[in-house]
Amino acid sequence: MCWKSIFVLFAALLVSCSEKPAGETEEAPSPSPEPRSIWTALSAWNDVSDQYGELPKYIKVYKSPSQLQGKKSVAYVAVADMTYASWDIWSINDPEGDGTSETFRTPSQVYGSDKCPIVINAGFFFADGGKRYASSLAVKDSKVLTYNINYAVYDWGVSPVDMRYPTRAAFREAADGTFDACYVYNGSFGHYMYQSAANNSWAKTSATTPSSTYPAGGKKFSAVTAIGGGPMLLNKGKFVDSYEKELFDGPNGISPDSNQPRTAIGITEDRHLVLFVCEGRQKTSGVYGLTTADVANVLLDLYCVEAINLDGGGSSCMLVNGKETIKVSDGSQRAVGSTIMIK
């Protein structure tokens, strides 16, 4: 057989091997799953948007069913499609942490300045010696106004003072428009964010002080808009509630395992920002509030993938077009150190 004949035969074999048998078709690649819709998850909640006047079409407000996590509840969520909406922060301005004479503001005072459709309380704060301090991160237009507090004390009345250095949660929007929850720490080495928390617990000896290399995978913090608080509730679609590692239990903590008024922020896979608030302390008879684990599970049921807890108790308050939703537990709105607004 000549070389030309051999080549023709070999080419014919290649063609015949590559051809599909008669009647067999090539399988199409599986489509990517569609993000789960929060509107489906909210089917058991009541759309009360119309009760608060005209809202932008991309913002809805829902009231909870009579029970959440098996407990009598009064809760609300404001849901904003971030394709069209934006969020903003008001906060005292104290990046050095030295305290400021700037006054705390009630949510109604913040609403009076900007008339944003949704206003909710945000980070932790305190006053001491005539000055006002923030305990939580606040970032507006890429500028840090305040940092998460970088220490925790179990009991100031016990000597020697047991001081720890926890990483605590923050919720941020990056420059590329993505949202996530992370842990942050501001130290002499800089302001860093981490995907895992420093391994603290009041029941154990103090963990390593955070640094640029601990916890692992740290990166320099960056955000266009961000708010701090804690504990982290959800990360990458998974339940977290890391109050022990963030040292939010103990006498100076937030009673994470007890039923309290709560405030939280989360984001769904399809970019809907969710602001959550629940009533407590029997402002409505039989409504005691929720634990941080309860709030995490509620937001998980609403298809949030990232979420953190914010200041609660007497601070918890959500305004819709300037009108209160829950009954605040102090009887009147508390002046706070920061708020979140949707517009």
Side-chain angles (χ1 to χ4, degrees):
M1 184 181 292
C2 68
W3 287 110
K4 183 176 180 181
S5 300
I6 292 172
F7 176 78
V8 171
L9 177 61
F10 181 68
L13 285 170
L14 285 176
V15 170
S16 64
C17 287
S18 65
E19 289 177 349
K20 293 279 185 185
E24 187 174 319
T25 58
E26 188 171 346
E27 291 185 8
S30 298
S32 300
E34 290 292 324
R36 297 174 300 173
S37 172
I38 189 173
W39 308 119
T40 302
L42 282 166
S43 60
W45 292 56
N46 300 307
D47 185 348
V48 294
S49 306
D50 291 345
Q51 297 179 19
Y52 293 91
E54 187 175 355
L55 289 168
K57 292 181 179 180
Y58 48 81
I59 298 175
K60 292 286 187 181
V61 178
Y62 285 79
K63 184 179 181 181
S64 69
S66 60
Q67 286 202 343
L68 291 173
Q69 301 300 301
K71 300 172 183 178
K72 186 175 179 180
S73 297
V74 175
Y76 290 81
V77 289
V79 181
D81 184 344
M82 298 308 288
T83 304
Y84 310 102
S86 62
W87 68 304
D88 200 0
I89 303 293
W90 170 81
S91 172
I92 60 170
N93 187 5
D94 184 28
E96 300 302 321
D98 295 330
T100 177
S101 59
E102 187 179 351
T103 58
F104 295 147
R105 301 171 72 182
T106 65
S108 285
Q109 288 172 327
V110 174
Y111 174 78
S113 298
D114 297 323
K115 297 293 189 295
C116 292
I118 307 295
V119 181
I120 197 167
N121 71 289
F124 300 102
F125 60 95
F126 65 99
D128 184 58
K131 291 186 176 182
R132 296 167 184 85
Y133 300 83
S135 303
S136 297
L137 176 70
V139 178
K140 177 183 173 69
D141 299 329
S142 302
K143 179 184 177 182
V144 176
L145 302 178
T146 60
Y147 289 93
N148 268 6
I149 196 167
N150 61 3
Y151 64 89
V153 172
Y154 184 79
D155 188 345
W156 286 102
V158 175
S159 182
V161 170
D162 182 10
M163 187 172 289
R164 309 288 183 94
Y165 304 95
T167 50
R168 285 185 166 171
F171 180 88
R172 71 182 188 116
E173 181 179 6
D176 62 1
T178 57
F179 293 82
D180 72 350
C182 59
Y183 299 98
V184 298
Y185 192 86
N186 183 46
S188 59
F189 56 90
H191 190 205
Y192 271 66
M193 56 185 177
Y194 315 86
Q195 280 301 302
S196 59
N199 191 24
N200 277 291
S201 169
W202 289 121
K204 301 185 298 188
T205 57
S206 182
T208 303
T209 302
S211 67
S212 60
T213 57
Y214 176 80
K219 298 178 181 178
K220 286 190 174 181
F221 180 85
S222 64
V224 175
T225 308
I227 192 68
M232 184 184 291
L233 301 176
L234 305 175
N235 185 232
K236 295 180 171 56
K238 303 295 184 183
F239 177 95
V240 180
D241 191 25
S242 51
Y243 70 80
E244 183 177 8
K245 290 183 177 180
E246 296 182 58
L247 300 178
F248 276 115
D249 50 350
N252 292 306
I254 62 168
S255 304
D257 286 333
S258 69
N259 296 319
Q260 302 290 342
R262 304 284 180 188
T263 304
I265 183 172
I267 191 77
T268 65
E269 188 178 0
D270 58 353
R271 287 178 51 81
H272 284 81
L273 189 69
V274 179
L275 299 184
F276 171 92
V277 68
C278 73
E279 199 174 292
R281 299 177 181 172
Q282 290 212 87
K283 298 309 290 185
T284 296
S285 179
V287 175
Y288 293 91
L290 298 173
T291 67
T292 54
D294 290 333
V295 177
N297 281 315
V298 169
L299 294 178
L300 197 58
D301 288 344
L302 295 179
Y303 298 155
C304 288
V305 292
E306 308 280 336
I308 71 167
N309 183 66
L310 298 169
D311 190 14
S315 297
S316 286
C317 178
M318 178 192 287
L319 303 182
V320 181
N321 281 334
K323 300 176 184 178
E324 291 182 5
T325 51
I326 66 166
K327 299 173 185 175
V328 294
S329 65
D330 280 359
S332 60
Q333 291 177 34
R334 180 181 289 179
V336 296
S338 59
T339 63
I340 297 166
M341 297 87 76
I342 300 179
K343 52 189 176 180

